[in-house]
């Protein structure tokens, strides 16, 4: 049973920083990728950043230069370091995993390809 557990959300002021962590447990297979999505109330869940099986990373233009995605612990811990946070970064952040070598193509994510999701962690940025 694959499980994803996110931690690290919270409330910060604009310009602040947070680091989100996602730990994958269980056996997902030999090849997988992991990604961060976020969702603002009433809007579609959007992909923010991901790491492919070979370690290549992708970060959405909206957060490029402010967010950094990385892995540790044998690829089973996914981190999202967020700095210079803005009010528009407010939302619920979800970690997801897929048995794929790459999570996205040019930032295009197909949510149906991600069978594993965390419960989400709330990030609130106040101005």
């Amino acid at each position: 049973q694959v499980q994803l557990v996110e931690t690290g959300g919270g409330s910060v002021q604009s310009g602040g920083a947070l680091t989100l962590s996602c730990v994958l447990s269980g056996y997902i297979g030999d090849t997988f990728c992991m990604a961060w999505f976020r969702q603002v109330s009433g809007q579609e869940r959007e992909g923010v950043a991901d790491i492919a099986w070979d370690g290549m990373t992708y970060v959405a233009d909206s957060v490029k230069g402010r967010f950094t995605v990385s892995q540790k612990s044998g690829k089973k811990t996914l981190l999202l370091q967020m700095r210079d946070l803005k009010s528009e970064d407010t939302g619920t952040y979800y970690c997801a995993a897929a048995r794929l070598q790459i999570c996205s193509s040019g930032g295009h994510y197909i949510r149906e390809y991600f069978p594993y999701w965390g419960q989400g962690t709330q990030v609130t940025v106040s101005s």
Side-chain angles (χ1 to χ4, degrees):
Q1 182 77 7
V2 174
Q3 289 188 320
L4 299 171
V5 178
E6 305 105 332
T7 56
S11 297
V12 295
Q13 290 191 326
S14 181
L18 285 171
T19 295
L20 306 183
S21 177
C22 170
V23 177
L24 185 156
S25 62
Y27 181 68
I28 190 173
D30 295 330
T31 302
F32 62 93
C33 66
M34 296 180 73
W36 287 103
F37 289 77
R38 70 181 178 189
Q39 187 165 23
V40 177
S41 179
Q43 297 185 18
E44 291 280 322
R45 194 172 297 186
E46 63 171 349
V48 175
D50 68 73
I51 291 188
W53 173 247
D54 63 0
M56 290 290 290
T57 62
Y58 169 81
V59 178
D61 287 343
S62 59
V63 300
K64 193 167 291 182
R66 300 188 297 118
F67 289 15
T68 303
V69 62
S70 61
Q71 278 178 319
K72 64 177 185 179
S73 303
K75 300 184 180 181
K76 290 199 169 183
T77 298
L78 184 69
L79 302 176
L80 186 66
Q81 296 172 285
M82 308 183 293
R83 63 177 180 84
D84 191 22
L85 284 161
K86 305 177 180 181
S87 57
E88 52 263 41
D89 296 318
T90 293
T92 302
Y93 284 69
Y94 297 90
C95 174
R99 291 193 179 100
L100 300 169
Q101 291 188 349
I102 60 172
C103 277
S104 69
S105 176
H108 177 63
Y109 295 87
I110 300 176
R111 284 184 54 188
E112 291 74 18
Y113 288 177
F114 292 84
Y116 307 110
W117 292 84
Q119 79 286 357
T121 186
Q122 179 67 30
V123 171
T124 303
V125 183
S126 57
S127 56

